Amino acid sequence: MFTTEIFTSFVWNLFKIKHMQNAVLITIGDEILSGNTVDTNSNFIATELKNIGIKVSQIITISDEIETIKSTLKSAFEMGDLVITTGGLGPTRDDKTKKALAEFFDDEIALDEATFEHLKAYMERRGRIEILERNREQAFVPTKSTVFQNHFGTAPCMMMQQNGKLSFSLPGVPYEVKPLIKDQIIPYLKEKFNLNYISTRIVSVVGIPESILADQIEEWELALPKNLALSYLPVGTRVKLRLTATGTDENVLQVQLEDEIQKLFPIIGENIIATSEDKIEKILGEILSEKKLTISTAESCTGGELALLITSNPGSSKYFIGGVVAYATQKKTDILGVSEGIIERFTVVSEEVAREMAEGCQNLFKTDISLSTTGVAGPGKGEDGKEVGLVYYTIKVKNESQTFKLYMPHLDRQDFIYFVSQKIIQDLVGILIAQ
Amino acid sequence: MFTTEIFTSFVWNLFKIKHMQNAVLITIGDEILSGNTVDTNSNFIATELKNIGIKVSQIITISDEIETIKSTLKSAFEMGDLVITTGGLGPTRDDKTKKALAEFFDDEIALDEATFEHLKAYMERRGRIEILERNREQAFVPTKSTVFQNHFGTAPCMMMQQNGKLSFSLPGVPYEVKPLIKDQIIPYLKEKFNLNYISTRIVSVVGIPESILADQIEEWELALPKNLALSYLPVGTRVKLRLTATGTDENVLQVQLEDEIQKLFPIIGENIIATSEDKIEKILGEILSEKKLTISTAESCTGGELALLITSNPGSSKYFIGGVVAYATQKKTDILGVSEGIIERFTVVSEEVAREMAEGCQNLFKTDISLSTTGVAGPGKGEDGKEVGLVYYTIKVKNESQTFKLYMPHLDRQDFIYFVSQKIIQDLVGILIAQ
């Protein structure tokens, strides 16, 4: 057992690794296989590794059984230079990763004093004076491992090496994984290896279906340099073109990417809404900040998703003033000033109500832009008998108001709310760019 | 090539399969390996399979390369009775799954007339008169495959068989995957196989850390019948105990599960907040409906997540009246009636402001319960200089108001918003149960 520092100074030269190009991620946990939990750790780790030029070639989710863990470690080490496991390190009976690690590396588990001290301090800070035997067990690690201490949980991260390849075993809790990866493992890998760079740019295209887009840019795609790869990612009615460049010089890659993106403009320039940002809420944030415009929301069927989407962008407090979720019909009248006559005449899920909601929202929050939604997310029909999947939304920019209708009966409640919200922000971006 | 019906009638007896116990899911897509997209399909499919007694033993995410797809199909068929692939079937150059399928099954790809007709009708319905060569290619399938038509996209689902095992290849778009699985594949599997039943119950426990809980229920856990498995799933400060029972008689399993859960009450009864529902927003929905209570929200740092969480439960319109996202300080005063003097004296991120927000919210929406949040989600500090990760929230039930403080500086913006919202609903459930 070594601390990171000692390990660095004398063990390192024993296995200087040239290659650190690709990684395999192993997610250990029955809760993911049973559909109880979505694996978000792999997504986070893959992004972080990509940013330092390490490509993830496989993500494998397995159950928490010693033999399965061992055989998966074996195939992962054959495939990747780096193996990262998450999960299976909790204090309870169903976590078997540590035993599997020790067996796989032909090692034993022993108490690591430094880890135990760290654990005690951690628990005392959290007001837990009594240290259970079960907690003490968490300070047992394979003797050949290098421990990276976990500052936000009780399970330590263990690094092992085999034939010049590395593995890291982390707990499964996302807010423990994130700092371990970001603050400890990534800096460590950057320091130890000469890494390739991977640069990515995303071009957001609207108004062309994926297949027609593919036809239009086919020549451009076929002429791309060999170190550039293209992917199509449809998100709602938007298509994201992802260009990934791999090489040794970051600046060269960036110039290459910019060059290729510029060549797209003569072909599909009118349909491109962004070439740097990936997420629609970030694209919106940039435009609103640049144009110094403020925005507010009045939601019914989207239940707060529109506000959440806009505010999920850090710095959104500069342009997002506020929102109302007017779920009950009466509140559309009370708070947003939608006239009762209009509701009676056209029903609550109607073009007219959407328009009045946006109007009332703009007045309430005194913003340049307001967005409104009224519809039926399902699974039950609307109070007014309107069909599931129907929504009217209004985008009001200063004095100009446009109302749209969407009918998506095939989407379930959650997908409907997500799709509609993405589409509204996307439409707004289109309107603002065209101005 | 067969339609499902013809296939059923005469091919079926050729390979009657006894076992259909476990499945392997293969996700094909560089966008997941690069961290661009979170794989939500596997989660959905795993849940649906579990419900009909098929256990997912592995989920593998691989890149869109013919050789990789073939070798993964090989190992998946060794491991599982059923293989389901998603992704890699789009109309663009980067999708290679179909070629890999044909090579793996020693087959050829040919135009399937029925699929082409279906595709044409689908596109015409969507207003696309011109059928591109690229679209026509989507009607090419391996000749040995049975096609399940996709009613919500252009890529068909193909079923293949090998040594009495089955594979289904689906596109990757979640809203195409869901109906294919739910409306076609699951009914098909249920009809064709004698399946085991898997029953799951989740017991939600609050107020005990995972390790102490594990100690307290150790005897109970060790005495569980062999066909029952227990998992611990920590979610925020709640621990979900998942009990899974496998067997041939669904009623027997349900009785077994109920029996074991009843034995938990003498041990940790005070800490159990639910024994049937999994999600905190569903637990809340049941309690509110039963007690006939209404609720509203006034959010600042959570940006709409609290409203979205409550309304994500179908039927929430019965108890959720509405919410305000008062992002700008001025709106806390204008809409919620928080006094300017209080904000000046205590700053906007304070116990006092949280309390007044909940008060104002209850008045505005005329609800029995109101919830409020004011805090700093980061990454930048609050306007008033308050630290990132600090939040005050108030839970007001009728005339009783309680304000809490949380400080979670280690969480990023997104996790912070999620954690805080979960915690508030969890606290509210605790309060309502204790009444």
Side-chain angles (χ1 to χ4, degrees):
Chain A
M1 244 158 311
F2 313 101
T3 69
T4 311
E5 287 69 29
I6 301 172
F7 172 84
T8 305
S9 62
F10 88 97
V11 177
W12 193 254
N13 289 325
L14 299 181
F15 69 103
K16 193 141 197 167
I17 304 172
K18 299 262 153 52
H19 304 285
M20 182 55 71
Q21 292 180 341
N22 69 320
V24 174
L25 310 185
I26 303 176
T27 306
I28 302 165
D30 293 328
E31 67 276 17
I32 290 161
L33 294 173
S34 69
N36 246 294
T37 307
V38 175
D39 171 26
T40 54
N41 286 330
S42 298
N43 182 264
F44 176 81
I45 299 172
T47 306
E48 292 293 318
L49 290 178
K50 188 188 64 186
N51 290 341
I52 60 162
I54 298 174
K55 199 180 155 181
V56 171
S57 48
Q58 211 164 107
I59 301 169
I60 314 175
T61 304
I62 55 173
S63 74
D64 201 348
E65 288 156 15
I66 292 181
E67 287 312 313
T68 309
I69 298 172
K70 280 163 65 182
S71 67
T72 309
L73 279 173
K74 185 165 177 292
S75 66
F77 268 112
E78 281 162 13
M79 213 180 321
D81 306 317
L82 170 68
V83 176
I84 296 182
T85 76
T86 52
L89 292 175
T92 55
R93 197 161 296 281
D94 57 330
D95 289 327
K96 302 183 186 95
T97 305
K98 221 172 341 190
K99 271 177 229 154
L101 267 182
E103 286 185 24
F104 179 75
F105 287 101
D106 198 15
D107 195 5
E108 283 179 6
I109 288 175
L111 182 75
D112 181 42
E113 281 300 337
T115 302
F116 186 54
E117 288 308 312
H118 175 87
L119 184 67
K120 273 204 298 198
Y122 171 83
M123 295 188 73
E124 275 160 19
R125 266 202 319 278
R126 315 241 313 186
R128 294 268 301 279
I129 306 306
E130 177 203 14
I131 310 290
L132 298 173
E133 182 57 29
R134 210 181 274 278
N135 295 125
R136 194 167 163 269
E137 270 172 32
Q138 296 209 274
F140 278 70
V141 298
T143 64
K144 294 176 190 166
S145 69
T146 305
V147 173
F148 288 67
Q149 300 297 352
N150 179 354
H151 299 292
F152 304 104
T154 54
C157 165
M158 297 156 288
M159 183 178 80
M160 307 288 284
Q161 66 101 350
Q162 189 191 56
N163 303 330
K165 295 181 171 190
L166 286 185
S167 79
F168 291 87
S169 295
L170 286 72
V173 181
Y175 65 78
E176 300 177 24
V177 169
K178 286 183 183 177
L180 275 168
I181 293 286
K182 215 165 176 145
D183 305 335
Q184 299 196 60
I185 296 174
I186 295 290
Y188 181 84
L189 293 172
K190 274 172 79 171
E191 197 200 315
K192 295 299 168 200
F193 300 95
N194 291 321
L195 300 164
N196 250 335
Y197 288 98
I198 299 182
S199 275
T200 300
R201 289 279 296 272
I202 291 188
V203 179
S204 283
V205 181
V206 297
I208 325 180
E210 187 184 355
S211 54
I212 294 183
L213 174 64
D215 259 16
Q216 292 190 354
I217 64 172
E218 186 167 25
E219 258 184 68
W220 170 84
E221 182 180 348
L222 293 171
L224 285 174
K226 283 250 179 304
N227 67 323
L228 262 66
L230 177 72
S231 289
Y232 292 74
L233 314 175
V235 182
T237 57
R238 180 165 53 118
V239 179
K240 299 199 276 182
L241 297 174
R242 194 192 56 217
L243 269 175
T244 306
T246 313
T248 51
D249 187 329
E250 203 175 0
N251 293 327
V252 170
L253 297 182
Q254 275 163 11
V255 170
Q256 247 190 331
L257 286 169
E258 182 59 31
D259 281 355
E260 294 305 327
I261 289 171
Q262 285 310 321
K263 290 181 198 161
L264 272 177
F265 277 87
I267 319 171
I268 50 160
E270 275 178 18
N271 302 90
I272 293 175
I273 58 167
T275 64
S276 52
E277 287 298 354
D278 177 355
K279 293 187 169 158
I280 199 76
E281 63 272 22
K282 276 190 181 282
I283 299 172
L284 177 68
E286 287 206 340
I287 298 172
L288 293 179
S289 301
E290 196 196 300
K291 300 198 177 208
K292 296 200 192 335
L293 295 171
T294 55
I295 190 167
S296 59
T297 54
E299 303 178 66
S300 184
C301 62
T302 46
E305 169 76 21
L306 209 47
L308 187 66
L309 186 62
I310 296 171
T311 60
S312 68
N313 192 34
S316 52
S317 59
K318 288 199 189 72
Y319 48 83
F320 182 73
I321 305 305
V324 168
V325 182
Y327 228 51
T329 300
Q330 188 61 42
K331 296 302 153 188
K332 295 182 179 74
T333 309
D334 294 355
I335 300 173
L336 295 168
V338 177
S339 82
E340 286 181 2
I342 287 282
I343 294 176
E344 227 161 88
R345 200 165 144 205
F346 298 102
T347 80
V348 71
V349 177
S350 64
E351 197 181 324
E352 290 74 13
V353 167
R355 197 178 309 133
E356 290 212 352
M357 284 173 73
E359 179 94 31
C361 181
Q362 205 179 30
N363 292 336
L364 184 65
F365 291 104
K366 314 246 178 315
T367 50
D368 302 306
I369 303 167
S370 67
L371 307 173
S372 73
T373 62
T374 178
V376 189
K381 281 194 183 184
E383 298 170 31
D384 55 2
K386 289 290 166 72
E387 290 298 328
V388 172
L390 178 67
V391 60
Y392 293 93
Y393 60 92
T394 296
I395 298 177
K396 188 155 193 264
V397 181
K398 294 189 175 159
N399 294 318
E400 295 286 324
S401 157
Q402 294 182 52
T403 302
F404 304 86
K405 178 186 173 180
L406 268 180
Y407 180 52
M408 326 244 27
H410 57 292
L411 299 185
D412 67 17
R413 186 179 179 86
Q414 195 187 344
D415 288 348
F416 175 82
I417 291 172
Y418 176 82
F419 185 95
V420 169
S421 303
Q422 290 278 330
K423 180 76 166 71
I424 294 173
I425 302 295
Q426 183 181 303
D427 288 355
L428 171 60
V429 165
I431 291 170
L432 293 175
I433 283 179
Q435 278 184 339
Chain B
M1 245 156 311
F2 311 102
T3 68
T4 311
E5 286 70 25
I6 301 173
F7 173 83
T8 305
S9 61
F10 87 97
V11 176
W12 193 253
N13 288 325
L14 298 183
F15 67 103
K16 193 140 196 168
I17 305 172
K18 298 262 154 51
H19 304 285
M20 182 57 71
Q21 291 180 342
N22 69 321
V24 174
L25 309 185
I26 303 177
T27 306
I28 301 165
D30 293 328
E31 67 277 17
I32 290 161
L33 294 174
S34 69
N36 246 294
T37 307
V38 175
D39 171 26
T40 54
N41 286 330
S42 299
N43 182 264
F44 177 81
I45 299 171
T47 306
E48 291 294 318
L49 291 178
K50 187 189 65 187
N51 290 341
I52 60 163
I54 298 175
K55 199 180 155 182
V56 171
S57 48
Q58 211 164 105
I59 302 169
I60 314 176
T61 305
I62 56 173
S63 74
D64 200 349
E65 288 158 14
I66 293 181
E67 287 311 314
T68 309
I69 297 171
K70 281 163 64 182
S71 67
T72 309
L73 279 172
K74 186 167 178 290
S75 66
F77 267 113
E78 281 162 13
M79 214 179 320
D81 306 317
L82 171 68
V83 176
I84 296 182
T85 75
T86 53
L89 292 176
T92 56
R93 196 161 297 282
D94 57 330
D95 288 329
K96 303 181 186 96
T97 305
K98 221 173 338 188
K99 273 177 228 153
L101 267 182
E103 287 186 22
F104 179 75
F105 287 102
D106 198 17
D107 195 3
E108 281 178 9
I109 288 176
L111 181 76
D112 181 41
E113 281 300 336
T115 302
F116 186 53
E117 288 308 313
H118 175 88
L119 185 66
K120 272 204 298 199
Y122 171 82
M123 294 187 76
E124 275 159 19
R125 267 202 318 280
R126 315 241 313 184
R128 294 265 302 277
I129 307 305
E130 177 203 15
I131 311 290
L132 298 173
E133 181 56 30
R134 210 181 274 279
N135 295 125
R136 195 168 163 269
E137 270 173 33
Q138 295 209 274
F140 279 69
V141 299
T143 63
K144 296 177 191 165
S145 70
T146 304
V147 173
F148 288 67
Q149 299 299 351
N150 179 354
H151 300 292
F152 304 105
T154 54
C157 165
M158 296 156 289
M159 184 178 80
M160 306 288 284
Q161 65 102 351
Q162 190 191 56
N163 303 330
K165 297 183 171 189
L166 286 185
S167 78
F168 291 88
S169 295
L170 286 72
V173 181
Y175 67 76
E176 299 176 25
V177 169
K178 285 183 184 177
L180 275 168
I181 293 286
K182 214 164 177 142
D183 304 336
Q184 298 196 59
I185 297 174
I186 294 290
Y188 181 84
L189 293 171
K190 274 171 80 171
E191 197 200 315
K192 295 299 165 199
F193 300 94
N194 291 320
L195 300 165
N196 251 335
Y197 287 98
I198 300 182
S199 276
T200 300
R201 288 279 296 272
I202 290 188
V203 180
S204 283
V205 181
V206 297
I208 324 179
E210 188 184 354
S211 55
I212 295 182
L213 174 63
D215 257 16
Q216 292 189 355
I217 64 173
E218 186 167 24
E219 258 183 67
W220 170 84
E221 182 180 350
L222 292 171
L224 284 173
K226 282 252 180 303
N227 67 324
L228 262 67
L230 177 72
S231 289
Y232 292 75
L233 314 174
V235 182
T237 57
R238 179 166 54 118
V239 180
K240 298 199 277 183
L241 296 175
R242 194 191 57 216
L243 268 175
T244 306
T246 314
T248 52
D249 187 329
E250 202 175 0
N251 293 327
V252 170
L253 297 182
Q254 275 164 11
V255 170
Q256 248 191 331
L257 286 170
E258 183 60 31
D259 281 355
E260 294 304 327
I261 289 170
Q262 286 309 321
K263 291 181 198 160
L264 271 177
F265 276 87
I267 319 172
I268 50 161
E270 277 178 18
N271 302 91
I272 293 174
I273 58 167
T275 63
S276 52
E277 288 298 353
D278 176 356
K279 292 187 170 158
I280 198 76
E281 63 271 22
K282 276 189 181 284
I283 299 172
L284 177 67
E286 288 206 340
I287 298 172
L288 293 179
S289 300
E290 195 196 301
K291 299 200 177 208
K292 297 201 195 330
L293 295 171
T294 55
I295 190 167
S296 59
T297 54
E299 302 178 66
S300 184
C301 62
T302 46
E305 169 76 21
L306 208 47
L308 186 67
L309 185 62
I310 297 172
T311 60
S312 67
N313 194 33
S316 51
S317 60
K318 289 200 190 70
Y319 48 84
F320 182 73
I321 305 304
V324 168
V325 183
Y327 228 52
T329 300
Q330 187 62 42
K331 297 301 152 189
K332 296 183 178 74
T333 309
D334 292 356
I335 301 173
L336 295 168
V338 177
S339 81
E340 287 181 1
I342 288 281
I343 294 176
E344 225 161 90
R345 199 165 145 207
F346 297 102
T347 82
V348 71
V349 178
S350 64
E351 197 181 324
E352 291 75 11
V353 168
R355 196 176 311 131
E356 289 212 351
M357 284 173 72
E359 178 95 32
C361 181
Q362 205 179 30
N363 291 336
L364 183 66
F365 291 104
K366 316 244 177 317
T367 50
D368 301 306
I369 302 168
S370 67
L371 307 173
S372 73
T373 62
T374 179
V376 189
K381 281 193 182 184
E383 300 170 29
D384 56 1
K386 290 288 166 72
E387 290 297 329
V388 172
L390 178 67
V391 60
Y392 292 93
Y393 60 92
T394 297
I395 298 177
K396 187 154 194 267
V397 181
K398 294 189 175 157
N399 295 318
E400 295 286 325
S401 157
Q402 294 182 51
T403 302
F404 304 86
K405 178 186 172 179
L406 268 181
Y407 180 51
M408 325 241 35
H410 57 292
L411 299 185
D412 67 18
R413 185 179 180 84
Q414 197 188 340
D415 288 348
F416 174 81
I417 291 171
Y418 177 81
F419 185 95
V420 169
S421 303
Q422 291 278 330
K423 180 77 167 72
I424 294 172
I425 302 296
Q426 183 181 303
D427 287 356
L428 171 60
V429 166
I431 291 169
L432 293 174
I433 285 179
Q435 276 183 341

